[in-house]
Amino acid sequence: MKIKKPSLTFWQIFNMNVGFLGIQYSFGLQQTAINPIFLYLGAPEEMLPILNIAGPVTGLIIQPIIGAMSDKTWSPKWGRRKPYFLIGAIIGSICLFAFPTSPVLWFAVGLLWILDVGNNMAMEPYRAFVGDKLPEKQLSLGYQMQSLFVGAGILLANGSIVLFQYLFGGESVEVAGEIPKWLYYSFYIGGMLSIATILWSVLKTPEIPPSDEELAEINHDKSQPFSVRVAKPFKEIGSAIKEMPSFMWKIGAVYLFQWYALFIYWQYITPLFKLTMGYSTSEAASQSAQMSLTYNIVTMVVALALVPLTLKYGGKKVYAYSLVGTALALFTIPFITDSLLVLAPMVLFGIGWAAMMGIPYTMVSKVVPQERRGVYMGILNMMIVIPMGIETLTFGPIYKYLLGGSAINAILFAGGFFVIAALLAMRLNVKKASAEAVSE
């Protein structure tokens, strides 16, 4: 029996999503600060993709398993999804406090693996959490609110990097094999934010109890032998993939090019500024943070504005055009050598990022069965990390041998992939789901 969900107020939806701020602050540091740390500790540029393989691998393993497990979890005190993103936030906080003290490259790489486990454990059930709580008419607002907090978290992370580099990094001399002290502060703030914002949402937002049928199934699973319970998430994932709506296969094709391109951008924007502007690693990292700061300010501004646009024109068109704008931004950036003017293309990038972080989740939430939303959100996130994994394994040789070891060519290559993603996005027509009929 389907549970009728009450409509929530704006501030209830706001409080529900506050925890995403801390999770995305951590991801913001990963996007902007982790690769400079690898460079500080002596990593060659062509090794950056493979050193980032932790994110795709942990996402591929952790997210669908946690999604399937959270579908079959219920605690009267803690709820269904909240125990998972609370534990994930604690793991992430510990790693953020430890990260800037990494003495050598292998230590930083190992910490990235653990940090990604925590972040992915928190991320996946959070996506399902929003779908669990909101009626269909509020799904777009819920996921675009989440997109707003994506922008806010990454904005704060990058704003802190810019601020602390300006205040404490200007006169410091870079020492090979050593992470500059000014970078420590951003990670310490992230460690505190990660746990504090998650606790806010956990304490402010009660979860909807499962129906009697769902509760009976959950209790039945708890009574099974340990070996059966361990195998259950894997069987659930396999079953869900076999029965997956065709829409999700189509969005997987978009994601293949979109997320491959995004990973290239995050890895090579700092080397790009060392090349185009003659910056040191610290100066280039600060400029990269300013780029991220700019596009996430735009994301915050436009995230909720996309809600009426998607209702009027359809998610497919808004999403596809936003991807085209992101491509234009990447085609422009390598040819601008002014540190202020180069921020202008990030307006288009920010609109694209807002669309990427909200519209696909709204679409998928409409076409999958409510009782399997957790596992399908996990599978959707598999579609993010698989392209990232492919990028980490393939782009190093592409960068070195086909693109001439040029960060300029790398960013242009990423722009081309966004064009392909936009063309594929025009195929995303939301049709009837097995549980309910929806229209775009």
Side-chain angles (χ1 to χ4, degrees), residues 164-176:
F164 293 133
Q165 199 277 335
Y166 174 77
L167 292 177
F168 307 115
E171 298 180 1
S172 62
V173 178
E174 290 184 12
V175 178

Side-chain angles (χ1 to χ4, degrees), residues 42-112:
E45 287 183 9
E46 64 268 18
M47 281 190 66
L48 291 179
I50 197 65
L51 292 177
N52 282 271
I53 199 171
V57 172
T58 55
L60 185 62
I61 296 171
I62 297 297
Q63 291 207 23
I65 292 174
I66 293 297
M69 289 174 63
S70 67
D71 281 342
K72 305 301 181 186
T73 295
W74 176 250
S75 163
K77 182 176 181 180
W78 295 105
R80 170 176 284 179
R81 315 291 182 184
K82 292 192 291 188
Y84 295 95
F85 51 73
L86 182 58
I87 294 169
I90 293 170
I91 294 171
S93 291
I94 293 170
C95 290
L96 289 174
F97 280 114
F99 213 105
T101 63
S102 300
V104 289
L105 181 60
W106 67 263
F107 188 91
V109 172
L111 269 180
L112 179 59

Side-chain angles (χ1 to χ4, degrees), residues 59-213:
L60 185 62
I61 296 171
I62 297 297
Q63 291 207 23
I65 292 174
I66 293 297
M69 289 174 63
S70 67
D71 281 342
K72 305 301 181 186
T73 295
W74 176 250
S75 163
K77 182 176 181 180
W78 295 105
R80 170 176 284 179
R81 315 291 182 184
K82 292 192 291 188
Y84 295 95
F85 51 73
L86 182 58
I87 294 169
I90 293 170
I91 294 171
S93 291
I94 293 170
C95 290
L96 289 174
F97 280 114
F99 213 105
T101 63
S102 300
V104 289
L105 181 60
W106 67 263
F107 188 91
V109 172
L111 269 180
L112 179 59
W113 280 84
I114 303 171
L115 177 62
D116 267 315
V117 167
N119 282 341
N120 281 297
M121 192 171 180
M123 170 79 77
E124 197 289 327
Y126 222 123
R127 296 291 192 188
F129 179 55
V130 172
D132 291 344
K133 286 285 292 181
L134 296 177
E136 185 183 313
K137 65 182 180 180
Q138 290 189 308
L139 283 175
S140 182
L141 175 60
Y143 283 113
Q144 287 306 136
M145 181 74 77
Q146 209 167 76
S147 181
L148 183 149
F149 277 106
V150 169
I154 299 175
L155 184 152
L156 286 174
N158 287 279
S160 72
I161 291 171
V162 173
L163 176 64
F164 293 133
Q165 199 277 335
Y166 174 77
L167 292 177
F168 307 115
E171 298 180 1
S172 62
V173 178
E174 290 184 12
V175 178
E178 185 176 306
I179 300 168
K181 295 294 187 292
W182 63 264
L183 200 52
Y184 284 42
Y185 308 120
S186 294
F187 281 84
Y188 293 162
I189 291 172
M192 291 183 285
L193 263 185
S194 180
I195 190 65
T197 57
I198 286 287
L199 279 173
W200 179 280
S201 291
V202 165
L203 297 174
K204 289 279 187 179
T205 310
E207 293 195 64
I208 297 175
S211 65
D212 292 339
E213 292 87 347

Side-chain angles (χ1 to χ4, degrees), residues 181-435:
K181 295 294 187 292
W182 63 264
L183 200 52
Y184 284 42
Y185 308 120
S186 294
F187 281 84
Y188 293 162
I189 291 172
M192 291 183 285
L193 263 185
S194 180
I195 190 65
T197 57
I198 286 287
L199 279 173
W200 179 280
S201 291
V202 165
L203 297 174
K204 289 279 187 179
T205 310
E207 293 195 64
I208 297 175
S211 65
D212 292 339
E213 292 87 347
E214 287 179 300
L215 192 57
E217 185 177 351
I218 290 169
N219 290 332
H220 173 73
D221 288 340
K222 287 181 179 178
S223 68
Q224 297 297 305
F226 180 74
S227 58
V228 174
R229 291 162 61 191
V230 169
K232 185 70 180 283
F234 298 96
K235 290 181 179 179
E236 177 67 17
I237 292 164
S239 171
I241 290 174
K242 287 180 183 178
E243 300 167 17
M244 192 160 66
S246 60
F247 175 86
M248 288 193 66
W249 291 107
K250 291 179 181 178
I251 208 164
V254 179
Y255 272 20
L256 175 63
F257 292 93
Q258 171 186 302
W259 287 99
Y260 193 110
L262 280 167
F263 232 38
I264 293 172
Y265 171 81
W266 290 327
Q267 290 164 5
Y268 285 96
I269 190 66
T270 296
L272 176 79
F273 292 131
K274 293 178 71 175
L275 182 63
T276 60
M277 298 187 183
Y279 283 164
S280 67
T281 301
S282 287
E283 291 169 329
S286 179
Q287 183 67 46
S288 300
Q290 291 176 55
M291 302 288 278
S292 190
L293 190 67
T294 303
Y295 80 72
N296 281 287
I297 289 173
V298 175
T299 295
M300 286 187 63
V301 171
V302 306
L304 298 185
L306 291 181
V307 176
L309 287 177
T310 55
L311 292 174
K312 183 175 181 179
Y313 298 107
K316 175 181 73 174
K317 290 181 181 178
V318 176
Y319 185 31
Y321 292 150
S322 298
L323 293 175
V324 170
T326 308
L328 291 174
L330 295 189
F331 288 146
T332 305
I333 290 168
F335 303 104
I336 302 175
T337 56
D338 183 274
S339 61
L340 290 177
L341 188 59
V342 79
L343 301 176
M346 303 318 285
V347 174
L348 290 174
F349 198 106
I351 295 170
W353 185 237
M356 289 179 241
M357 290 292 98
I359 293 174
Y361 293 95
T362 303
M363 289 175 153
V364 169
S365 197
K366 290 180 178 180
V367 301
V368 300
Q370 177 178 309
E371 67 275 9
R372 303 181 83 180
R373 185 173 278 121
V375 69
Y376 276 119
M377 285 297 174
I379 291 170
L380 182 64
N381 283 300
M382 286 173 64
M383 294 177 179
I384 294 174
V385 298
I386 288 172
M388 289 182 171
I390 294 171
E391 192 272 350
T392 62
L393 294 172
T394 61
F395 195 70
I398 291 172
Y399 178 77
K400 186 174 182 179
Y401 298 111
L402 295 182
L403 302 180
S406 169
I408 292 174
N409 292 336
I411 299 299
L412 294 175
F413 185 95
F417 266 34
F418 268 113
V419 172
I420 298 172
L423 293 173
L424 291 171
M426 291 304 295
R427 300 166 62 240
L428 297 176
N429 296 307
V430 179
K431 297 180 181 178
K432 281 189 177 182
S434 57

